Amino acid sequence: MEVSKNYGHQHPLVLLNEEQLMSNPSGTILADEQSKSPSPPLMIEDENHPHPFTLFWRRVPLICEACGTEGNRVAYTCGTCSVIVHQNCVSLPCIIKSRCGEKVSAPCFGCAEDCGFYVHKIYAEAPSELNHPFHQQHPLVLLQNPPSTYTWYACYFCGQRCEKFVYHCSPCNLGFHIKCAWFTFNIAQNNLKELEHVPLEPPMISTNKDDEQLENVPECFACWEPLANYTYFSPHCGFNLHQKCAELPLRLNHICHRKHPLLLQFNSDGLSCKICQETPGRGFPYVCSSRKFVVHFECLSLHLAPVIKDERHEHPFSLFPRRAPFVCDACGTEGTYSAYICCECNIIVHKKCTSLPSIIKSKWHDHAIFHNYFLPDDFGSSDCIICHDAVSPEHGSCCCSYCSITFHVRCVTEEASSYYILSREEAYKISDESSVTCVLERNDAGQTTYIQHFKHTHNLQLSAYVGGYENNCDGCMLPISNPFYCCSQCQFFIHNACAELPKKKHEWHYKCRQQLQDVSHFTSHVYY
């Protein structure tokens, strides 16, 4: 039996085969034994686990986190550790998890003193420093546990929490599960033996990013696009990965950046893509050797369509692959690389702006908001309602012609959850019907002074009296104050602002896109 160095553990480690791994110290296989107790105890405490196990009476299909086999018999749970095990597996030497955080499998090293320490043989032999091709600035240092300064330490590759052995780069604040570090290392070395026998799955659904089917679909760890968009490896291998992302060249020369070669790298500096302007989160984009140029591999001209036709623009857009600074005529922000042009309209736009929605409904405004490449003359220069910075009328922006207000495209579309796309028919269906059904009289200044309101039987008059009323507004139930309308025939008071509320209003806090309707009944205004 091979005895290994201890890898930071206080006891010697012994190399275990599969049979030894499934056995207790006396050699008796515990994983498949059936309980012989007719009345299992409600709680079991075992010296090999720091917390008591509680009986879980319901028979449900489960995979025991001690032995790794399926079952639907009596089980025990540990609420503190969030694990579930067979009754007979409670006495296994701790919950069998390797130091990499995965269910342990042979060959592996186990503690000779049976204290529950396990580590896969492949990871036990991992070097203390890893010079990773995707992170050439510094070596990754192997740590037994994440740095204590972190309350939550997430793997840069898969995004899941790291709790055991990690490869860490302190200067770049970058860390990986040991298995993720080695998996990406093998991708960089074009050594994909782990994936040779993993079945490939065909694309399953639409590649349209706006498709609601994609909301709960897993994403590729390399490009963070929905996994089912392209041919992908079965997730049973433990990684979400497109086939095309596993076969990317480590180094390439490209016309969009002729000065330096582009290297497939982790974007540890958090730089935004020079073509689509978006900041890659995790994964590995192409990065210039000077670290000043970052581009998604999907955004390289090799992957860009020479012509884009979109129903939201009447003419096709043609790719202009040369590096040339420009201001996008769709969103008003700067760009440098791989623009698209429409010669008919004489406009130049970012790739992502070729598909900007024409009409949206935003949480920031009650009316439909229309996208324009150039603002009408009557708008002139105005400020964005969201950020309050100036909106240039010479470049793309969004506006509401009903209210004569404007928005920066980036401000009103920054959060995908803050707007949704409307058709032209839907835009004109958005109700803006006022609660004032008829204006009967105006003063010399054009101010409304006498009205009919849809929730009151008598006409209402704008009051010129300041103070003295102890009544509340029959709309909002707050104390009445100027300006307000009152009824000369009954005790009815309503603020001017409450009287002019629309009959229907969008409430963005609800997922339902239906308008809320005013159901006030002479007491208070309520939308439902």
Side-chain angles (χ1 to χ4, degrees), residues 328-340:
C328 176
D329 288 316
C331 70
T333 61
E334 296 180 353
T336 308
Y337 300 87
S338 299
Y340 279 86

Side-chain angles (χ1 to χ4, degrees), residues 226-442:
L227 196 60
N229 274 7
Y230 310 98
T231 301
Y232 61 97
F233 293 99
S234 171
H236 293 298
C237 68
F239 299 95
N240 296 343
L241 192 66
H242 293 133
Q243 182 184 21
K244 67 181 182 67
C245 294
E247 299 171 352
L248 292 170
L250 179 62
R251 178 190 179 103
L252 58 82
N253 295 303
H254 200 272
I255 58 173
C256 71
H257 190 72
R258 301 177 187 271
K259 288 185 177 181
H260 312 102
L262 299 179
L263 306 175
L264 207 58
Q265 294 281 283
F266 297 123
N267 186 23
S268 56
D269 297 327
L271 302 175
S272 60
C273 173
K274 290 293 186 181
I275 294 178
C276 72
Q277 314 299 312
E278 295 181 4
T279 302
R282 295 183 296 272
F284 26 87
Y286 278 101
V287 181
C288 164
S289 56
S290 68
R291 309 294 301 176
K292 296 180 180 179
F293 179 90
V294 173
V295 61
H296 291 118
F297 53 80
E298 300 96 331
C299 292
L300 293 173
S301 298
L302 294 175
H303 299 273
L304 295 176
V307 176
I308 293 179
K309 295 180 180 180
D310 192 277
E311 60 183 11
R312 286 162 280 204
H313 189 70
E314 56 185 330
H315 312 121
F317 287 98
S318 300
L319 176 65
F320 185 71
R322 291 186 64 88
R323 176 181 178 181
F326 66 94
V327 176
C328 176
D329 288 316
C331 70
T333 61
E334 296 180 353
T336 308
Y337 300 87
S338 299
Y340 279 86
I341 59 175
C342 174
C343 296
E344 297 286 337
C345 301
N346 192 26
I347 59 176
I348 182 169
V349 299
H350 298 119
K351 176 203 171 188
K352 66 176 182 179
C353 293
T354 59
S355 57
L356 275 177
S358 301
I359 311 171
I360 64 172
K361 178 68 187 70
S362 170
K363 73 175 184 180
W364 296 102
H365 195 59
D366 286 335
H367 306 135
I369 298 174
F370 291 76
H371 175 260
N372 294 280
Y373 286 98
F374 309 101
L375 282 176
D377 293 337
D378 54 344
F379 274 84
S381 295
S382 58
D383 293 339
C384 173
I385 297 300
I386 300 175
C387 72
H388 306 296
D389 290 336
V391 177
S392 171
E394 298 179 359
H395 298 291
S397 60
C398 293
C399 66
C400 171
S401 56
Y402 183 84
C403 302
S404 297
I405 60 174
T406 56
F407 304 83
H408 289 123
V409 173
R410 68 175 184 272
C411 292
V412 80
T413 61
E414 186 174 15
E415 298 178 13
S417 60
S418 69
Y419 73 95
Y420 57 86
I421 299 173
L422 294 176
S423 65
R424 194 163 293 274
E425 293 76 17
E426 290 173 326
Y428 291 124
K429 286 181 181 178
I430 293 181
S431 174
D432 190 51
E433 186 179 0
S434 173
S435 300
V436 177
T437 56
C438 183
V439 176
L440 301 175
E441 187 179 294
R442 296 179 186 272

Side-chain angles (χ1 to χ4, degrees), residues 488-519:
S488 60
Q489 302 180 48
C490 61
Q491 293 293 308
F492 183 88
F493 300 86
I494 186 169
H495 291 122
N496 182 32
C498 295
E500 295 176 353
L501 285 172
K503 287 185 179 179
K504 295 182 179 180
K505 184 176 178 64
H506 280 272
E507 176 51 62
W508 202 264
H509 294 296
Y510 291 92
K511 291 185 179 180
C512 177
R513 295 180 180 176
Q514 299 299 318
Q515 290 176 314
L516 303 180
Q517 185 169 352
D518 189 342
V519 293

